[in-house]
Amino acid sequence: MNIPFVDLKSQYLSIKQEIDDAIFKVLNDTNFIGGQQIRDFESKFASLYGVKHVVGVANGTDAIYIALKMLGIGVGDEVITTASSWISTSETITQAGAKPVFVDIDPDTYTINPKLIEEKITKKTKAIIPVHLYGQMADILAIKNICDKYKLYLIEDCAQSHFSEENGTLAGRHGVVGTFSFYPGKNLGAYGDAGCIITDDDLLAEKCRMFANHGALKKHAHKIEGINSRLDTIQAAILNVKANYIINWTESRISNAAFYNATLKEVEELTLPKVRNNTKHTFHLYVIRTKERDALKEHLGVMGIQTAVHYPLALPNLEAYNYLGYAKSDFPIASKYQNEILSIPMYPEISKDQMEYVCNGIKSFFKKK
Ligand SMILES: *Cc1c(COP(=O)(O)O)cnc(C)c1O
C-alpha cells in the first residue's frame, strides 16, 4: 500500500465541481486582481474567527513581515521567537530590520517555553512571536502575561494552527495580531500561495492593507511605500469554497489523531503528541518521537509510507543563523528533538485502513529489533 504524507488530490476530488466552478467564474470575469471573491473570503474568515478585520495577503510569510513592519518594528529592535519553526517566523524579523532572539522549546509541547522568555528580554525587545506548532497551542496565556508585563506586542504565527483553541479562544485571537498561511498543505490550503492577517485593531488593519498594496488604499493614492502582497483572486475563490468545509476537516484531523494515539500507545519506544489541558490541538502534523528516527523513517519508506521531518534543524542551528554565534547547547531541547521527530501521514481524508497500515509499519519496525 502507498500512503502519501498528505493527499491533496482526494480532497480536491471531494469538492471538484464547486472548486472548478469557482475558478471558472474568475476566468470568465477576467477579474484577476482584487474583486468580490477576496472580500467574500475575508468576511467569511472574519466571521469564523469572530474578528473585526481580515486582510488577505500573498502568503503566510508576508503576513508576519507586514504585521511586524506596521507595528513599527525595525532597526535596533529585538523580537523573541521559538527555536523550533519554519524559517518564515524568524526571517521576517530580519526582513523588518530587527534581530531574532530564539528561545528553546517546551519538552512536552515543542512550542516556545515561556519559562525561558524573561531572561531574553532586553530594552530592545518589542514583540514576541509564538508559533502554535503542528496545530498545538503554545502556552499563550503565560506568553500574553509576559507581553502585558513588559509592554510587548504579541504576534501569533498561526500558519499551522487554523482553528486551534485555548480556553475556547481561537489561535490568533490572543495577541494584537494573528498571521495565517494558506499554503496548499496547511490545514486550510489554497492551490498556490496565500495568507492573511487578523486583528481587531482598526488602524493596524488599515495600515497592513495599505502596505500590502503598494501603500495605497485607493489606486494611485500612495500614502507610503509598500510592497505587492495581495491575495490572489483565484486563490480567494478556492478558499471561499474550502472555508465551508474547514470545521469538518479539522474535526477529522482530531479524530484521526485519536486513532493514532489509541493504536500507537502500546509502542513503548515512541513518544506520542501530548495535548495541553484546555486546548484544542488541530493536528496540522502528527509528530512522533524516537531515538531511532532515521531507521524508522527508512523502514516506513520501504513499506510505501511517506513521512517527513519538521524540522531537521532547529532555527538557530541553520546555516542562515551562524552569524548569531549560537551553540547547540544554547537550545538543548530543540537541538535534541531535531534528530528524533517524525511526522507521519495526517490529513482529513486518510482512512482507518491507511492509518492501520502506518501503525502496523511502526510496530513491525520496533518488533523486529
Ligand atoms: C507555512 C508557515 C509559514 C509561512 O507560510 P507561507 O504561506 O508558506 O509563506 C510561516 N510560519 C509557519 C510556522 C509555517 O509553517
Side-chain angles (χ1 to χ4, degrees), residues 57-64 82 84-92 129-134 157-162 179-186 192-196 284-285 310-311:
V57 296
N59 56 68
T61 308
D62 280 359
I64 307 169
T82 174
S84 182
S85 184
W86 174 244
I87 192 169
S88 300
T89 315
S90 50
E91 71 184 345
T92 47
I129 311 182
V131 179
H132 306 298
L133 197 71
Y134 313 149
D157 181 347
C158 306
Q160 302 190 5
S161 58
H162 310 71
T179 63
F180 289 81
S181 167
F182 304 120
Y183 177 87
K186 297 288 159 77
D193 281 308
C196 82
H284 170 56
L285 298 170
H310 300 89
Y311 296 93

Side-chain angles (χ1 to χ4, degrees), residues 165-170 174 278:
E165 292 178 11
E166 169 127 11
N167 278 341
T169 301
L170 287 160
H174 298 264
N278 301 319

Side-chain angles (χ1 to χ4, degrees), residues 19-318:
I19 292 282
D20 292 358
D21 290 350
I23 294 174
F24 185 72
K25 183 169 182 348
V26 180
L27 299 182
N28 209 38
D29 295 349
T30 54
N31 194 3
F32 299 118
I33 302 287
Q36 192 59 39
Q37 285 88 348
I38 292 172
R39 289 189 289 276
D40 288 349
F41 174 67
E42 287 177 343
S43 62
K44 193 177 282 182
F45 204 70
S47 74
L48 286 167
Y49 269 83
V51 68
K52 266 173 98 176
H53 304 283
V54 173
V55 180
V57 296
N59 56 68
T61 308
D62 280 359
I64 307 169
Y65 169 67
I66 293 165
L68 284 164
K69 285 285 281 185
M70 294 303 101
L71 286 168
I73 291 162
V75 177
D77 297 334
E78 293 177 356
V79 177
I80 290 175
T81 193
T82 174
S84 182
S85 184
W86 174 244
I87 192 169
S88 300
T89 315
S90 50
E91 71 184 345
T92 47
I93 297 170
T94 311
Q95 277 165 22
K99 180 186 171 194
V101 175
F102 295 108
V103 170
D104 204 6
I105 55 172
D106 174 86
D108 287 331
T109 64
Y110 312 165
T111 58
I112 190 169
N113 187 341
K115 295 192 192 80
L116 304 176
I117 291 179
E118 285 194 77
E119 65 197 59
K120 300 279 178 98
I121 295 176
T122 71
K123 283 199 181 70
K124 297 177 175 174
T125 309
K126 290 284 151 49
I128 302 179
I129 311 182
V131 179
H132 306 298
L133 197 71
Y134 313 149
Q136 166 101 280
M137 293 295 296
D139 190 348
I140 198 70
L141 301 181
I143 298 164
K144 194 170 165 33
N145 280 338
I146 296 170
C147 286
D148 291 345
K149 182 171 162 193
Y150 293 90
K151 306 232 177 326
L152 307 175
Y153 292 121
L154 175 54
I155 301 166
E156 296 178 76
D157 181 347
C158 306
Q160 302 190 5
S161 58
H162 310 71
F163 301 97
S164 300
E165 292 178 11
E166 169 127 11
N167 278 341
T169 301
L170 287 160
R173 300 292 285 120
H174 298 264
V176 58
V177 53
T179 63
F180 289 81
S181 167
F182 304 120
Y183 177 87
K186 297 288 159 77
N187 284 19
L188 178 58
Y191 291 165
D193 281 308
C196 82
I197 293 163
I198 69 171
T199 184
D200 278 335
D201 184 322
D202 299 341
L203 187 61
L204 180 64
E206 187 172 282
K207 280 179 163 174
C208 290
R209 190 175 292 287
M210 188 155 61
F211 186 69
N213 188 39
H214 302 290
L217 287 170
K218 273 193 274 175
K219 203 162 193 167
H220 304 304
H222 305 278
K223 293 198 184 176
I224 53 171
E225 285 183 321
I227 60 173
N228 179 355
S229 184
R230 294 178 291 238
L231 173 59
D232 183 85
T233 309
I234 290 182
Q235 301 309 333
I238 290 162
L239 289 166
N240 252 325
V241 174
K242 294 185 77 174
N244 297 332
Y245 298 91
I246 185 60
I247 303 298
N248 284 341
W249 287 334
T250 303
E251 292 310 316
S252 298
R253 284 178 184 275
I254 293 169
S255 64
N256 293 342
F259 182 90
Y260 274 144
N261 286 340
T263 318
L264 292 173
K265 68 169 187 277
E266 68 198 62
V267 186
E268 283 166 22
E269 296 90 339
L270 280 187
T271 306
L272 302 181
K274 294 187 186 73
V275 180
R276 289 181 42 248
N277 285 337
N278 301 319
T279 67
K280 185 173 187 172
H281 186 324
T282 52
F283 292 96
H284 170 56
L285 298 170
Y286 189 93
V287 179
I288 57 177
R289 242 175 60 232
T290 165
K291 294 225 152 45
E292 290 152 289
R293 191 268 311 278
D294 292 339
L296 173 61
K297 187 174 194 329
E298 166 89 35
H299 173 87
L300 295 175
V302 170
M303 290 181 65
I305 301 165
Q306 237 181 45
T307 59
V309 177
H310 300 89
Y311 296 93
L313 287 174
L315 292 174
N317 300 334
L318 290 169

